[in-house]
Structures are given as C-alpha cells and as structure tokens.
Amino acid sequence: MAIKVIEINKSVYADSIKLADETRQRLKEQGTCLLNLMASPGAGKTTLLLKTIENLSSYCIGVMEADIEASVDAEKLQAAGVQSIQVHTGGECAMNASMTKQALDEFDTSGLDLVFLENVGNLVCPAEEDVGAHKKVALLSVPEGDDKPLKYPLMFQVVDAVVITKTDARAFFNFDDEAVCERIHQLNPSAEIFFVSAKTGEGLESWCDWVRRNLFV
C-alpha cells in the first residue's frame, strides 16, 4: 500500500509567530511595553523585579508570574503592592504566544506602561518561544557560574540584555566577569550586560536606565 504523503507548505510555527506579532503590535499601540525575563530557578528574578519596580515608581507596572504550579512569587509581589497575576502553564516548561495572550486578556494592561513576564525558570524552553515581548532579558546569577553561555547558547543569542545577578556573592564563587562578557558577546555582540546586586544596589540604576530607555512613554 502506498504511503500517503502530506505536503505542509506553512510553518507549524506560523500561527504562533502571527499571534506574537499581533500581541506586540497591540501593546505598542496602547503604549505598554512587555519585557520577557528568563532565567534558571533561583537566579533572582522576583527579587530583581521588586527592586526594579521600586526604582521605577513613577511608572505603572504589572507582572505576570509564570510557573508550572504554585503562586509564591505572585503573592510576594502582591504583598509589596505590585499589580500581578499568576499563570500556571499546565506542565509546559515555558510560556508561548497563546498563553501570553490569554494572560494579558485577563490582566488589564490598558493603564500600564510596562508589563514584566517572569517566565518559567529554565535556560532552554523559554528561549525557543516568541511570546510577543518587545524585549527579552536573561538573568544569570554568579552562583550558577560564568560557563552558562557555553552550555545554553540559544538563550544568550536571542536576548537584548543580560543581567548578571547576585554580584555580592563574588567572594564565594569563582566567577570571571570578563570571561562571561566575552562568551555572551561571541554569541550576541549587541547584547547589553549589567552586573547587579539587589542586596547592595550595585548596577541597579544602570539596569533601570536601560528599562526606561525601552519604554514607549
């Protein structure tokens, strides 16, 4: 019996790409910037968000917390007075364009200047998905090591900025600032790199200036 062959002339990702582009354009038209934060679990995303929002207090900011289960981070943000919602991905290891649109539809963004998406914690899956963000940011903590761009190159290729977090822990880890910058820029020459400590405040203002420069207001 002859094998039936189906010719697929449309990318299986085409619908997702179209949806991501529509989300990006819709948010831009209403003046809302969407930043996609990606990192390993424990890299300090939520702590950085709290400090960043504190520094950007003149703007209206919301946060979408994405996790497979639980709502711990969203509860932390709400306790700090930050408008936030929790998104459970149903076992998926990253947000995609459809999930992001659904979450945004439930989260009134019309009065927001900026929305942070704190993506599911890992350095693989989130790098593969276009959620409709205007900018992508990777966090890499000092305890994780300066070799992560070598091990997870796609993440560092697709982002607009990299925030090296927990720099106050340098004394306890063999982390080479110059080496990590070189490795990131070999993959992505245009990526901006910030060394930040939420604990001491090191580099926080430079990072916040970058966020300000990328807003639409």
Side-chain angles (χ1 to χ4, degrees):
M1 186 171 67
I3 300 295
K4 185 176 181 180
V5 177
I6 300 173
E7 296 288 347
I8 299 178
N9 297 314
K10 179 181 177 182
S11 167
V12 295
Y13 297 108
D15 289 341
S16 181
I17 293 169
K18 181 175 182 289
L19 186 57
D21 286 339
E22 289 173 353
T23 295
R24 200 161 18 245
Q25 184 60 31
R26 174 170 60 88
L27 290 173
K28 186 173 183 178
E29 287 174 357
Q30 72 178 31
T32 304
C33 179
L34 176 61
L35 295 187
N36 183 8
L37 296 188
M38 301 173 284
S40 298
K45 295 191 297 297
T46 306
T47 302
L48 178 69
L49 278 174
L50 287 166
K51 290 293 185 180
T52 301
I53 293 168
E54 183 180 319
N55 270 259
L56 300 175
S57 58
S58 60
Y59 299 97
C60 294
I61 300 174
V63 178
M64 296 193 301
E65 285 287 345
D67 286 295
I68 292 174
E69 291 291 344
S71 56
V72 176
D73 292 334
E75 290 168 6
K76 285 182 185 176
L77 288 158
Q78 285 190 350
V82 179
Q83 185 176 341
S84 60
I85 60 169
Q86 182 71 52
V87 182
H88 287 160
T89 63
E92 296 295 327
C93 60
M95 291 286 281
N96 59 32
S98 178
M99 292 178 195
T100 302
K101 181 184 183 301
Q102 290 178 60
L104 288 168
D105 287 345
E106 295 295 326
F107 189 42
D108 183 13
T109 59
S110 60
L112 298 176
D113 302 313
L114 172 62
V115 175
F116 286 105
L117 167 59
E118 184 178 340
N119 218 316
V120 180
N122 71 83
L123 290 174
V124 181
C125 307
E128 299 171 349
E129 297 284 352
D130 182 358
V131 300
H134 300 101
K135 295 291 179 181
K136 302 176 184 178
V137 180
L139 274 63
L140 171 63
S141 68
V142 165
E144 291 176 83
D146 53 45
D147 61 350
K148 290 302 174 289
L150 301 175
K151 295 181 177 182
Y152 305 97
L154 181 61
M155 175 60 74
F156 297 91
Q157 287 171 342
V158 301
V159 296
D160 301 285
V162 179
V163 181
I164 310 297
T165 60
K166 304 185 182 181
T167 56
D168 52 282
R170 280 191 188 100
F172 306 101
F173 297 92
N174 184 24
F175 191 94
D176 190 326
D177 290 3
E178 291 185 10
V180 79
C181 288
E182 182 178 344
R183 289 163 180 166
I184 292 168
H185 283 148
Q186 283 177 345
L187 296 166
N188 185 348
S190 64
E192 295 198 49
I193 303 173
F194 304 93
F195 289 84
V196 175
S197 168
K199 183 176 181 179
T200 68
E202 176 192 351
L204 194 60
E205 191 55 41
S206 295
W207 153 245
C208 289
D209 281 343
W210 182 87
V211 176
R212 290 187 190 97
R213 292 198 307 271
N214 286 285
L215 295 179
F216 304 128
V217 292

